[in-house]
């Protein structure tokens, strides 16, 4: 009964593990939850107030499908100020979450059998969304042991004439790496040489620790090849509001808009007014600064704690995840995740969800309190002593 497109499309592992953790907690189990990547901070109150005002003022109707002009304009102005990107309101599409922007991008650009190049390990929804849009996925294997993130060479190795698009994600989920100018330039050169589009998922652009975020579309010749995706979920602790956005060359943006018109119409009206306040109100900067400083402290805590347990991970430079190699503990990622959940109520996401050669890994989201991180590490110590 279900379409052939679904064969091989798996349930979202992040959402599945997040649900399981919440269900166990509801049953009274003392769960330490390292599953979902969502800030555990409340949305700043001035943003909530703006949305409440919008409701009181009757902003409860459909908006323009592409989003309210003020928000599109403000996003364009920010991209100009922060990165020097030359965009106007019309170049911006406001979507119900960055996730839907990614889905729309694949729907807009892929024909059946076209391939999307993903850099392993990659966030769980890229492959599924590409498949839902009738695309195929090719995985590059990066050589983390050589300190590499993404190179011309690793892209070249997997290139197929069917390739239409490369996805990059910096700061990265699940590893937390940040791509340098040189690394981004290699992707740009490859995209030019092979005539590919690049979907640059920059949702963690503001959750970054002492590194500079470079917007891929600012690289020479890339504006006309790039679908830039970002959103409000992470930067302003607004995951439930479902507001993201995309900037893309006009023909592609227009096709994405059609997907939006015929699927969801527009992003939620009053949520868009909240997002507008997130950008316009100075107080957002301070909330963001505090949140990032706190994530940084937690990163240090979890990386150090895991190292003491003999577990290796790269030190994240952005986002709020660690991708941990658990093979040293004599387990694969799935066994580790199941065992720690069953025996200790420590919930994580198995690495296999992030790519075909990630089965030796487990992802921890440290968007959770310091106390939870300490408690989780103590419980893991007990489990690993018993191995
Ligand atoms: N990209 C990445 C890498 C993510 O981790 C997420 C998860 N929130 C998204 C996109 C989607 O974010 P949202 O739909 O909440 O804007
Ligand atoms: N992106 C977050 C994560 O990776 C939230 C869940 C999801 O959308 O996948 O955990």
């Amino acid at each position: 009964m279900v379409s052939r497109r679904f064969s091989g499309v798996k349930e979202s592992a992040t959402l599945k593990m997040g649900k399981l953790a919440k269900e166990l907690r509801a049953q009274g189990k003392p769960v330490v939850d390292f599953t979902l990547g969502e800030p555990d901070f409340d949305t700043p109150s001035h943003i909530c107030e703006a949305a409440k005002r919008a409701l009181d003022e009757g902003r409860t109707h459909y908006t323009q499908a592409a989003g309210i002009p003020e928000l599109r304009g403000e996003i364009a102005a920010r991209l100009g100020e922060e990165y020097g990107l030359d965009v106007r309101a019309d170049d911006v599409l406001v979507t119900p979450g960055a996730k839907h922007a990614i889905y729309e991008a694949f729907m807009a650009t892929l024909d059946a059998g076209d391939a999307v190049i993903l850099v392993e390990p990659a966030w769980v929804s890229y492959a599924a969304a590409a498949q839902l849009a009738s695309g195929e996925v090719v995985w590059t294997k990066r050589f983390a042991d050589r300190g590499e993130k993404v190179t011309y060479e690793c892209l070249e190795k997997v290139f197929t004439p069917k390739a239409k698009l490369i996805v990059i994600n910096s700061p990265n989920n699940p590893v937390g790496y940040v791509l340098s100018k040189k690394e981004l330039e290699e992707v740009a050169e490859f995209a030019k040489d092979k005539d590919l589009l690049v979907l640059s998922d920059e949702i963690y652009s503001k959750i970054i620790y002492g590194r500079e975020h470079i917007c891929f579309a600012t690289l020479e010749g890339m504006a006309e090849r790039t679908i830039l995706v970002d959103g409000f979920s992470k930067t302003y602790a607004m995951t439930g509001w479902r507001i993201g956005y995309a900037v893309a060359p006009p023909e592609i943006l227009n096709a994405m808009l059609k997907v939006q018109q015929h699927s969801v119409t527009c992003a939620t009206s009053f949520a868009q007014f909240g997002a507008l306040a997130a950008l316009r109100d100075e107080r957002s900067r301070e909330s963001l600064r505090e949140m990032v400083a706190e994530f940084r402290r937690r990163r240090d805590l979890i990386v150090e704690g895991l190292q003491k347990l003999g577990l290796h991970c790269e030190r994240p430079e952005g986002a709020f995840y660690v991708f941990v190699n658990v093979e040293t503990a004599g387990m694969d990622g799935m066994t580790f995740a199941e065992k720690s959940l069953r025996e200790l109520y420590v919930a994580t996401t198995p690495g296999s969800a992030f790519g075909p050669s990630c089965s030796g890994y487990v992802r921890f989201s440290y968007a959770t309190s310091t106390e939870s991180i300490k408690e989780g590490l103590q419980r893991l110590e007990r489990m690993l002593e018993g191995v």
Side-chain angles (χ1 to χ4, degrees):
M1 298 292 262
V2 169
S3 75
R4 277 193 294 277
R5 277 195 309 280
F6 274 86
S7 62
V9 174
K10 297 192 194 92
E11 185 181 353
S12 163
T14 46
L15 300 185
K16 181 175 162 188
M17 294 308 288
K19 179 166 175 268
L20 191 58
K22 284 197 180 73
E23 281 169 359
L24 285 169
R25 190 172 282 160
Q27 290 164 21
K29 309 290 188 222
V31 176
V32 176
D33 189 357
F34 292 113
T35 60
L36 274 192
E38 70 166 329
D40 53 326
F41 294 83
D42 290 333
T43 304
S45 58
H46 61 275
I47 300 175
C48 299
E49 288 306 325
K52 286 185 210 165
R53 252 192 327 275
L55 282 169
D56 288 341
E57 288 167 4
R59 313 253 190 198
T60 52
H61 300 270
Y62 294 134
T63 69
Q64 284 184 26
I68 56 172
E70 303 93 306
L71 180 58
R72 297 171 76 200
E74 199 65 42
I75 292 168
R78 271 308 165 89
L79 292 170
E81 272 162 36
E82 290 177 4
Y83 307 129
L85 209 57
D86 182 18
V87 284
R88 291 153 301 119
D90 283 352
D91 301 313
V92 178
L93 175 63
V94 175
T95 57
K99 199 183 270 189
H100 201 64
I102 293 164
Y103 177 70
E104 289 176 4
F106 291 151
M107 287 294 285
T109 57
L110 300 178
D111 282 310
D114 281 350
V116 174
I117 302 180
L118 296 182
V119 180
E120 198 177 13
W123 176 52
V124 297
S125 287
Y126 302 133
Q131 284 167 285
L132 290 176
S134 301
E136 285 171 16
V137 170
V138 196
W139 293 92
T140 68
K141 200 166 150 28
R142 74 188 186 106
F143 298 100
D145 48 344
R146 288 202 230 153
E148 284 176 4
K149 289 161 187 131
V150 53
T151 58
Y152 193 105
E153 185 198 349
C154 79
L155 293 169
E156 175 104 86
K157 272 204 180 112
V158 297
F159 177 73
T160 139
K162 290 197 289 181
K164 184 86 186 272
L165 206 141
I166 313 171
V167 177
I168 54 168
N169 171 218
S170 172
N172 168 268
N173 175 5
V175 177
Y177 65 66
V178 170
L179 296 176
S180 66
K181 181 111 193 274
K182 183 178 166 295
E183 285 156 337
L184 292 170
E185 278 169 353
E186 287 204 27
V187 177
E189 200 186 329
F190 187 78
K192 260 190 246 166
D193 288 354
K194 308 290 186 196
D195 195 18
L196 299 171
L197 294 167
V198 177
L199 189 154
S200 182
D201 180 350
E202 303 184 15
I203 188 105
Y204 297 102
S205 55
K206 299 285 185 290
I207 318 277
I208 190 161
Y209 315 120
R211 289 280 310 261
E212 184 201 1
H213 173 72
I214 297 166
C215 175
F216 187 76
T218 59
L219 266 62
E220 207 191 322
M222 284 304 109
E224 57 262 38
R225 294 188 178 273
T226 304
I227 304 169
L228 160 65
V229 173
D230 201 336
F232 292 77
S233 286
K234 318 288 170 174
T235 309
Y236 304 106
M238 290 173 69
T239 47
W241 296 64
R242 313 306 304 125
I243 302 286
Y245 61 88
V247 174
E251 198 190 358
I252 295 175
L253 201 76
N254 203 28
M256 291 171 68
L257 173 60
K258 287 182 190 165
V259 180
Q260 181 146 302
Q261 287 174 340
H262 293 298
S263 57
V264 293
T265 305
C266 60
T268 301
S269 58
F270 46 90
Q272 293 188 55
F273 285 93
L276 184 61
L279 292 182
R280 281 191 177 161
D281 195 312
E282 279 300 313
R283 285 171 289 182
S284 305
R285 289 180 201 264
E286 187 52 23
S287 314
L288 174 63
R289 207 189 52 73
E290 282 168 15
M291 185 172 75
V292 172
E294 179 58 24
F295 283 144
R296 191 178 186 144
R297 284 191 285 274
R298 295 179 191 175
R299 176 209 53 185
D300 293 343
L301 180 68
I302 196 162
V303 170
E304 206 178 296
L306 289 165
Q307 269 166 1
K308 278 193 192 136
L309 298 179
L311 296 173
H312 174 74
C313 66
E314 288 171 55
R315 188 179 179 78
E317 299 176 309
F320 32 60
Y321 309 98
V322 278
F323 203 52
V324 184
N325 186 332
V326 292
E327 282 169 331
T328 46
M331 281 176 253
D332 67 16
M334 188 60 85
T335 312
F336 184 100
E338 279 175 7
K339 191 173 162 66
S340 63
L341 183 60
R342 207 169 359 95
E343 296 177 8
L344 310 166
Y345 297 116
V346 172
T348 57
T349 307
S352 52
F354 299 87
S357 48
C358 298
S359 60
Y361 290 79
V362 165
R363 187 190 80 170
F364 289 68
S365 158
Y366 54 87
T368 186
S369 69
T370 301
E371 294 70 43
S372 296
I373 295 172
K374 286 184 181 157
E375 174 63 26
L377 288 168
Q378 273 171 16
R379 290 190 202 174
L380 287 177
E381 189 175 5
R382 288 206 299 279
M383 176 175 99
L384 295 172
E385 272 168 3
V387 170

